[in-house]
Amino acid sequence: MASVRSILLSAGAALTVVAATAQPVHAQAEPVNLSPVKWAWTDSRNPSTSFINQAGDLPVGTSLDAAGKAHTRRSYLTFDLTGFKGQAVHLAILNSSETNVTDCSAAAPVELWRTSAIKDNTAWNRAPQEIERIGEASLGAGSWSCPGGLGFDLTEAIGVAVARGDKAFTVELRIAAAAESDRRLGRSVRQPRIVATGNHLAVASELKLQYPDGTCGTAAKHPTAGSSPTFSAKVTDDDVNDPKTVIFAVWDADHPDQRREFSGGTYGGGVYQASTDFSGYADGTLVAWSARGYDYTDYGAWAKTCYVTVDKTAPAHEPGVASKQYPAGNVPSGGPGVVGRFRFDAAGDPDVAAFSWRDMVGRSGVVKANRSGGAVLEYTPDTSGTVSLYVAAIDAAGNRGPEKDYRFTVRNTSPYGSVDVAGVGLPSTINLTATASDTTTLSYQLPDAAEVKLPVAGGKASGPVTFTKTGYVDITLRAYKGTKMIGQSKLSTVVSDEPVVQSAEFDVFTNQIEGKTGSFTFKPRRSGVVAYQYDIGGRTGRVDAGADGSAVLPYTADTPGFFNMLVSSVSADGTVSQTTQHYFSIIPVRPYVNAWNQTNWPRTDGVGISQRIEFGSQLPDLTGFVYRFDGGPETSISSNGNTYAYIDVTPAHAGDTTVIAQAVRADGSRSPETRYTFQVFSGPVVTWTPAGEVIINHPVTVTFRAALPGATLFRYTLPYGDEDLTVPVGADGTATVTYTPLSPGLDNILVRSVAADGTESEQRRQYISVMDDRVTVYAPWNEYNPTGGIGIPGTVGFYSQLVPNIVEFRYHLEDGPVVAVPPTPESTTTYTEITPTHNGLNTLYVQQVLPGGELSSVTEYRFLVGTATKVVSAQYPPYVWGGGAGVEGTFEFTAGTDGVVSFDYQFDYGDTQTVVAVNGHATVTWTPSEAGSHNLVVTGRRADGSTTDVTSQYLLVQY
């Protein structure tokens, strides 16, 4: 019996419905509403009376009529399931709501039963037969509301009915038999409906043995297959947009319990295929197989069962191969492009069904064998020289026999040639050359065109050819001896209609000077050209063509720069050709001038700060420049054979500053002048003491120097301050302030000058690099994971930003003595070795001595020391080549913690050995049997059986 499920709804609640009759349901579609196609109710007081398809609500349970007589009623509904044919039901909810309840204080056990069909004479005495209870609910007392909603989950029950092929589904709504006579429980409900969704199942059909080529097969008549057959099946799904695939199953026909399944792979046109492994089956095994569709939501039904017999015995011999046109051996025959017939022979093997062949360049195929076990392949070699055809016999099961390597020699008869391409629609010239001396005619053939034959004179031929479109063209070339074609080849060429652009003055190899006049000549590479359109640096235009299709464009180089000229021809019919790109450069006649640092942020230039100015020119015979800076005298500067030169000047005022420059050539002539004006930053100049990078917590004296005249005060902001501060400007135009850096990094100072009339300069943003005086410690230990043990040294690194200006590092471990370590030259990190003296938490204290003898802040480095054993060997130190095969080594174990009574150790992960510890020490020996890498693992053991951390050493034995 199906599981019983119900859904209780609040009073008046009902699921939203969208249709009134059965209809096809699609995966992920909106739910549809199924109304009953037939309904009835029965009355115990009128046992022979039929109440079919009556309007109004449906009665359930026992209630009294106006005369006080009891009526017990049950209601029946039939739903049409034909719309779900071929589907999996994902949801089916029967829902309704009560319209009248006799007594809401009484709990009513309502049941839903699947029954036989409603008949036209259905009555109390002729009621549909109850088949299974499919839902139950308690209404009335204890419900959320009364009257209330009523719902039953029928997903499983209707799904089973659809799978069974039922066209209709009939249910009975009643009060449970034990309480049905209780007059308090009578009630009526609105006509129930079913909200449902479904998914069309994917259907597998047209099952076929794809490789070897065969049918589905029956148990009595079926194909054979080798070790790797391929099956195929077509999958369809009425839900068009559903993704889908196929699941195949294979099994020994005599052992269906050995069934295995696998999914399909490649597909096309709804046909899926997959290969499987038959190597586990013995020859002669009858294998059954089938397939079913899968839409990644539901599995369809299995298709019919197909059959195949396993045959893994391949043909034993190489096939025979022979050809009159291309006999085996080294004697050249035929030619590239000349077809040859090759005869294959099964050598008397009756199982051979076909022959597979392949050549050296990747071409391959299969030809079927005729009844006598032979076949003919027409094969055309495309190269001269030695050619191999590899041929193998194939039986009906797809088993391949050994390959025959049939080698023959192709005569070199292929013609070759070239094309002088004039363009599109214009006569080009094709030039052909014969390879074979007996060639009498050469020909060419364009795609989709007739072959054109040319007579040979002196082994050569030429003729006109006209191309009709641009792009790549493969031309077929052939050589003839009389009327017999003796050789063939392909000539590939590119057809372009880009116009020809020529200029005696302006090309990529000649740099002309601004102002140069000249012209461009355009020539057509397409028939019917009437004009040319061009683009020179964004300036576009059009020039008409003459009768011969050419045109001349005068040009004056009035703008310097590098140009990519774009030119296209225009035909009378409006066709625009491909674009020609023509490059040329124009040198500016005036020199280039630029002041550095003008685009920096924050600005770094200013009054009294050295400023670099660069001059440049591409003029030929350049010797240098003359310039005037900010109204000063004319000054000369040599370019020293370069195209540029520079000067360093010191601006004396803020604001506009002008440089006037001219380029000077070898003959003494000068270019027109360039007038270049730039803005000198007006923010105060900031310097500080000590200069350069400063140290945290050490006072810094900052000096402001005004760049604008008349400044009376500086308004500034120091690091770590939020408000503007002011300081008066001294008689020398400067002022000083002092602050102490509090953190490493970049300190930012903002400052501007203010005149008595309120005029303010630009604000300078000055960064000062602050170095940390604390030492950074790098060590093999950390504060979170115990490492090493007592007496096991570790290399510790001290990093300082102040190197090389410090005197030394000083450290002490716990309460131990202070140790001085000199800094390592030319390195920011100095390394030293430290040996822990106790387990658990350790603290290393580190300082550095600053240049003035002052001590820096203290760095406290906390770390946990483990309990690992210290291992020392003079012959085999870790990670160092030593000893040798057969050379004994001594290893001293020292406990890394107190209480160790013995050591367990292993060489090369062999048997564990134990040695007794005396005062935490022990010595063992080891003689390696071979050179190379080895491992030693040591663990200390305490009296209570607990163990220490593990020590692992990597040993290298010298060869």
Side-chain angles (χ1 to χ4, degrees), residues 363-383:
R363 292 183 294 178
S364 62
V366 175
V367 290
K368 290 185 177 180
N370 55 32
R371 292 183 177 179
S372 61
V376 175
L377 168 69
E378 288 193 346
Y379 174 81
T380 304
D382 53 10
T383 60

Side-chain angles (χ1 to χ4, degrees), residues 47-69:
S48 299
T49 303
S50 299
F51 302 93
I52 307 295
N53 291 353
Q54 294 200 6
D57 300 329
L58 297 177
V60 178
T62 301
S63 58
L64 300 178
D65 60 16
K69 295 181 179 180

Side-chain angles (χ1 to χ4, degrees), residues 706-923:
L708 293 180
T712 59
L713 63 83
F714 295 106
R715 181 174 291 118
Y716 66 96
T717 300
L718 291 175
Y720 327 112
D722 297 328
E723 298 181 358
D724 283 351
L725 302 173
T726 60
V727 61
V729 177
D732 62 351
T734 69
T736 60
V737 296
T738 300
Y739 87 101
T740 301
L742 302 179
S743 61
L746 289 177
D747 277 357
N748 181 18
I749 295 177
L750 303 177
V751 60
R752 67 176 74 234
S753 65
V754 182
D757 61 0
T759 301
E760 294 187 352
S761 72
E762 295 172 284
Q763 179 175 265
R764 184 176 294 279
R765 180 183 295 270
Q766 182 67 56
Y767 289 110
I768 298 177
S769 179
V770 180
M771 296 185 294
D772 196 350
D773 70 339
R774 293 170 58 88
V775 179
T776 300
V777 178
Y778 302 103
W781 309 280
N782 60 61
E783 192 175 353
Y784 311 102
N785 300 300
T787 305
I790 297 174
I792 300 179
T795 300
V796 178
F798 300 147
Y799 166 79
S800 171
Q801 293 183 345
L802 306 180
V803 170
N805 297 320
I806 67 168
V807 177
E808 64 185 15
F809 295 102
R810 294 180 183 177
Y811 74 89
H812 63 94
L813 181 60
E814 295 292 327
D815 296 328
V818 175
V819 179
V821 179
T824 301
E826 300 179 357
S827 175
T828 57
T829 304
T830 297
Y831 294 95
T832 188
E833 192 173 85
I834 294 176
T835 303
T837 58
H838 68 86
N839 303 115
L841 185 63
N842 284 248
T843 303
L844 180 66
Y845 303 91
V846 186
Q847 292 174 281
Q848 55 189 335
V849 181
L850 303 180
E854 178 185 356
L855 280 172
S856 71
S857 303
V858 177
T859 297
E860 294 185 9
Y861 185 82
R862 297 159 57 89
F863 58 93
L864 292 173
V865 175
T867 59
T869 302
K870 178 181 179 182
V871 179
V872 176
S873 174
Q875 296 80 17
Y876 298 105
Y879 302 101
V880 177
W881 291 99
V887 178
E888 182 181 81
T890 300
F891 294 82
E892 297 180 2
F893 301 159
T894 302
T897 186
D898 295 333
V900 172
V901 297
S902 64
F903 299 99
D904 296 336
Y905 65 96
Q906 296 172 292
F907 283 99
D908 293 333
Y909 305 109
D911 295 337
T912 300
Q913 302 180 63
T914 301
V915 60
V916 175
V918 178
N919 296 324
H921 296 274
T923 301

Side-chain angles (χ1 to χ4, degrees), residues 455-706:
V456 172
K460 297 182 180 296
S462 63
V465 57
T466 301
F467 299 101
T468 59
K469 59 183 179 180
T470 61
Y472 285 92
V473 179
D474 285 332
I475 307 173
T476 301
L477 308 181
R478 297 185 183 93
Y480 291 87
K481 178 182 179 180
T483 60
K484 182 180 180 182
M485 197 270 286
I486 61 173
Q488 180 175 291
S489 63
K490 290 286 186 182
L491 171 61
S492 296
T493 190
V494 179
V495 178
S496 170
D497 63 353
E498 296 176 3
V500 177
V501 178
Q502 298 172 330
S503 176
E505 298 83 17
F506 307 111
D507 61 38
V508 72
F509 304 106
T510 304
N511 293 332
Q512 299 290 359
I513 300 174
E514 181 182 359
K516 176 69 176 180
T517 60
S519 64
F520 296 96
T521 300
F522 305 147
K523 295 182 179 179
R525 297 193 71 202
R526 172 177 282 277
S527 61
V529 170
V530 296
Y532 296 88
Q533 56 191 29
Y534 61 87
D535 182 328
I536 307 176
R539 290 189 293 180
T540 59
R542 177 183 171 109
V543 58
D544 292 335
D548 62 350
S550 64
V552 176
L553 174 67
Y555 181 71
T556 299
D558 54 2
T559 302
F562 179 78
F563 295 91
N564 178 14
M565 182 182 188
L566 306 177
V567 183
S568 301
S569 65
V570 182
S571 299
D573 61 0
T575 300
V576 178
S577 73
Q578 295 170 309
T579 300
T580 296
Q581 300 185 70
H582 182 80
Y583 301 97
F584 62 96
S585 293
I586 303 300
I587 296 172
V589 67
R590 300 174 186 271
Y592 160 82
V593 183
N594 181 61
W596 290 15
N597 304 332
Q598 295 298 298
T599 59
N600 286 358
W601 190 94
R603 290 283 290 270
T604 57
D605 63 305
V607 177
I609 298 176
S610 179
Q611 172 73 56
R612 176 158 293 186
I613 299 174
E614 185 177 74
F615 309 108
S617 175
Q618 297 289 327
L619 290 174
D621 302 325
L622 179 73
T623 60
F625 304 89
V626 293
Y627 69 91
R628 295 192 301 278
F629 173 72
D630 200 21
E634 181 176 276
T635 305
S636 298
I637 182 174
S638 172
S639 63
N640 295 318
N642 298 312
T643 59
Y644 67 93
Y646 63 85
I647 60 173
D648 290 321
V649 295
T650 302
H653 64 85
D656 285 354
T657 300
T658 301
V659 180
I660 301 173
Q662 293 174 283
V664 180
R665 303 177 69 176
D667 61 1
S669 62
R670 296 185 179 188
S671 72
E673 67 180 24
T674 296
R675 181 178 293 269
Y676 174 78
T677 300
F678 63 96
Q679 297 284 326
V680 176
F681 193 59
S682 67
V685 176
V686 180
T687 57
W688 58 93
T689 303
E693 296 177 316
V694 301
I695 302 175
I696 187 173
N697 297 325
H698 287 65
V700 178
T701 299
V702 180
T703 299
F704 305 141
R705 177 164 50 82

Side-chain angles (χ1 to χ4, degrees), residues 323-327 332-342 359 363 377-385 387 389 408-415 436 438-439 476-481 483-490:
S323 173
K324 291 183 178 179
Q325 179 67 54
Y326 293 105
S333 60
V338 178
V339 179
R341 290 170 59 86
F342 295 81
D359 64 10
R363 292 183 294 178
L377 168 69
E378 288 193 346
Y379 174 81
T380 304
D382 53 10
T383 60
S384 60
V387 176
L389 274 182
F408 56 96
T409 303
V410 180
R411 182 186 176 206
N412 185 10
T413 58
S414 299
D438 54 350
T439 301
T476 301
L477 308 181
R478 297 185 183 93
Y480 291 87
K481 178 182 179 180
T483 60
K484 182 180 180 182
M485 197 270 286
I486 61 173
Q488 180 175 291
S489 63
K490 290 286 186 182

